[in-house]
Every structure is written in structure tokens, then in C-alpha cells.
Amino acid sequence: MNNVNELRDKNGLTEAEFLASYQPGDYPRPSVATDMVIFTVTDEDEENYRKLPEKELRVLLIRRGGHPYLGCWALPGGFVRPTETTEEAAERELKEETGVDQVYLEQLYTFSQPGRDPRTWVMSCSYMALADSSQVAVQAGDDADDAAWFKLTFRSCKGQKDMEPDMESSRRSGREWGPWRTWEIVLSHGTTVLRALLETEEGSSFARCRILENQGLAFDHARIIACGLERLRGKLQYTDLAFHLMPEHFTLRQLQQVYEVVLDRELPTAAFRRKVAGLVEETQQYTRNEGHRPSRLYKKCMP
């Protein structure tokens, strides 16, 4: 059997000769960035201390301190260094922006739509992270003016007629297109409100959605946020991912609130408790100094 290093290609070159003459600049190369959708769940401000606080789903944003999109809000992230993988870059940026490095992190999607960054060809390998808000100390990075947790609401627009598909494009591609739906993202922090409208084909992933309107968010980060929430909502149905948003000890009502605020719907209490019965275990501790009857605290079952 011939040594692979001695094999010659159609130009008569060995691998060593090919590599010695290879010119990387012959092909356009993209820059690679990581962007992170970091979710947490916090308590709403509640004036009545006897009432159980409602929960809010929040996402971490940073205000850009330089061009492009100067002054706009964006997901934490940055360019991948030559000495690191995309996951290492995401972990580094997460540590720099939140001061936390032991949180749940998973790769989300690679966004490579042409023109997504006005500077040059930039592909974003995005990640989703989940954090217990009590353990996170938000801090702005070197290229950011500010960093803050924004309350996130994301719903289908009601009362809007589905848009007609491009029938000519459908005929040319041979694909049957379904109806289109419009979705609204609203992000709020104090008096700052950001808003985006997205459009998806029925049944299609938000990774492929179109951005119809964008007020205050940089780049295509509205699309990445929608994709991250879609992933989180989906995995909550069949995994124990919600516990990454919880403190070590919690009540069953608090756990249910986290599911409800992420899924954006109320859940029947009895059915929910049956669902999580095998995921939690009782402790001998109870809530204290909360202005209402003490509730038993639970913790996640160890695998």
C-alpha cells in the first residue's frame, strides 16, 4: 500500500508540496464570532410582601460603546481568537460579562446570513446559557458602555392576517410554502424599551426567520434571541433544564412559576406536580420571613 504522503494529485503534487504552495488568501474567509443568549428568571418588584412575587424572564444585553450600532443594545459576545475554540470564546465572554463561569452552556446555531454584520463577512456561532440570577454579577466589558438584564416577552402577534407566500418562488423551487406568522419581541429595562418584529413560515425554525422591524437591537440579535427562547421552551418539555434557572432550594410553586414564565402559559398545579415528582426531593427546610405561611423547600434530585 502506498504511503499517503507520497500520493500525488492530478497536478502531480504530493501533500507536502501542495501545502507548501497553498495560498489561504485565494479564498475569501469570514470572521467568526460568538454571541450568547443568557437567560435568567427574577422576581418582579412586589409592594405587598404577603403576596408571592411573580417571575420575569430576562436576557442579558450590553450597550455597544463603539461602531457599528453605537449606543444600541446587543447580546454579549466577541470574536473568536486564533488560539481558542468557539466554546472557549463563549466561556471567556461569559466570564467577562457576568463574572460567572459555572453555568449551563450549549451551542445554539451558526448564523451566517450574508450582510448580517456591516463591517465584513462575520459568522456567529451562538450559544445559550442559563443562570441563577442570585449568582450573577453583571459587568460591562471593555467594548461596552453598560450591561443589564432586560425583561423579555415574545409572542405571536394577534389579529394579524397571515402573509401570502411568494407563489412564483414556490413554483420555481418546487417547494410548497405554508402561511407566515408575525412575532413580536419586547425587551424592557427601566425606561428603555426595545422592540422587534419577526416573520416565520409556519413550522419553520426561528433561525431562518425574517426581521421585519428592529428598534434598538444591534445586528440580527433579535433572531438569535428568538432562536434561543425557542430552544429553551422546547427542551423544558422533556429535560430538567429549568433547574439551571433555580437556586439550590426552592418551593414547588417557585419551580412552577419558572416553567410558566418561560412557556408563557399557566400550568395546572396538580398535573405539574406529578410531572416533576421524580425530579425533586423534599428537604427539612421551610421558607422564612416571607409574610405568608411557610412552604417546604425542595431541591433537585441527584442523578
Side-chain angles (χ1 to χ4, degrees):
M1 183 174 179
N2 291 334
N3 188 323
V4 67
N5 294 324
E6 296 176 356
L7 294 177
R8 295 182 179 274
D9 63 12
K10 62 183 179 181
N11 296 315
L13 300 176
T14 65
E15 183 173 297
E17 292 169 338
F18 168 78
L19 293 175
S21 61
Y22 183 75
Q23 299 294 323
D26 289 346
Y27 300 94
R29 291 178 291 172
S31 297
V32 180
T34 60
D35 294 299
M36 286 175 298
V37 189
I38 307 172
F39 292 114
T40 195
V41 174
T42 63
D43 290 338
E44 289 184 351
D45 293 332
E46 180 56 61
E47 294 181 359
N48 182 358
Y49 80 103
R50 293 185 179 275
K51 184 178 178 182
L52 187 66
E54 297 296 324
K55 301 291 185 183
E56 292 181 342
L57 178 64
R58 293 183 179 268
V59 63
L60 183 64
L61 297 179
I62 59 100
R63 186 164 57 196
R64 290 184 56 78
H67 294 298
Y69 294 101
L70 176 64
C72 290
W73 291 86
L75 294 171
F79 288 102
V80 180
R81 296 170 180 172
T83 57
E84 61 188 2
T85 65
T86 56
E87 184 171 354
E88 289 169 341
E91 291 173 346
R92 172 177 52 79
E93 292 287 346
L94 181 64
K95 176 69 173 178
E96 291 174 359
E97 298 291 349
T98 67
V100 172
D101 55 5
Q102 298 297 319
V103 300
Y104 179 84
L105 184 70
E106 73 168 67
Q107 190 174 109
L108 184 60
Y109 192 81
T110 298
F111 293 86
S112 58
Q113 289 85 347
R116 60 175 303 276
D117 191 309
R119 291 169 292 192
T120 186
W121 181 16
V122 178
M123 299 171 63
S124 173
C125 186
S126 62
Y127 285 79
M128 178 180 72
L130 306 179
D132 170 14
S133 61
S134 66
Q135 303 299 316
V136 175
V138 174
Q139 54 197 34
D142 293 339
D143 58 350
D145 278 349
D146 196 6
W149 289 107
F150 276 71
K151 179 182 177 181
L152 168 63
T153 58
F154 179 48
R155 295 170 183 168
S156 175
C157 293
K158 304 296 183 182
Q160 290 201 7
K161 184 179 178 180
D162 289 332
M163 297 185 66
E164 295 294 332
D166 184 340
M167 301 307 295
E168 180 60 29
S169 297
S170 298
R171 285 193 292 270
R172 287 198 301 268
S173 66
R175 179 180 178 184
E176 294 294 329
W177 292 86
W180 294 88
R181 295 181 66 186
T182 306
W183 304 77
E184 181 183 49
I185 291 178
V186 178
L187 295 147
S188 57
H189 173 69
T191 59
T192 302
V193 179
L194 315 175
R195 180 176 175 270
L197 285 181
L198 307 178
E199 183 182 70
T200 61
E201 185 185 11
E202 192 73 41
S204 178
S205 166
F206 282 101
R208 299 174 179 269
C209 71
R210 297 196 292 237
I211 300 176
L212 302 180
E213 295 181 20
N214 187 21
Q215 300 173 13
L217 274 170
F219 306 104
D220 58 350
H221 289 186
R223 179 186 291 120
I224 300 178
I225 292 170
C227 187
L229 185 53
E230 178 185 41
R231 171 76 62 84
L232 178 58
R233 285 176 172 175
K235 296 193 78 169
L236 236 59
Q237 309 287 347
Y238 63 93
T239 72
D240 61 0
L241 220 57
F243 292 100
H244 294 284
L245 297 166
M246 306 296 299
E248 181 181 2
H249 297 116
F250 48 83
T251 67
L252 291 182
R253 177 56 189 153
Q254 289 168 343
L255 181 61
Q256 182 173 342
Q257 284 181 305
V258 167
Y259 273 82
E260 289 177 336
V261 76
V262 173
L263 298 174
D264 195 27
R265 67 173 188 268
E266 292 186 5
L267 301 174
T269 299
F272 174 79
R273 296 196 174 192
R274 288 194 299 269
K275 174 184 174 67
V276 302
L279 301 177
V280 300
E281 60 182 76
E282 292 183 354
T283 72
Q284 299 305 310
Q285 301 179 48
Y286 291 81
T287 56
R288 299 168 58 187
N289 303 322
E290 293 193 359
H292 49 76
R293 183 178 177 181
S295 300
R296 184 182 291 275
L297 294 173
Y298 290 74
K299 64 180 180 179
K300 178 187 174 183
C301 287
M302 298 303 293

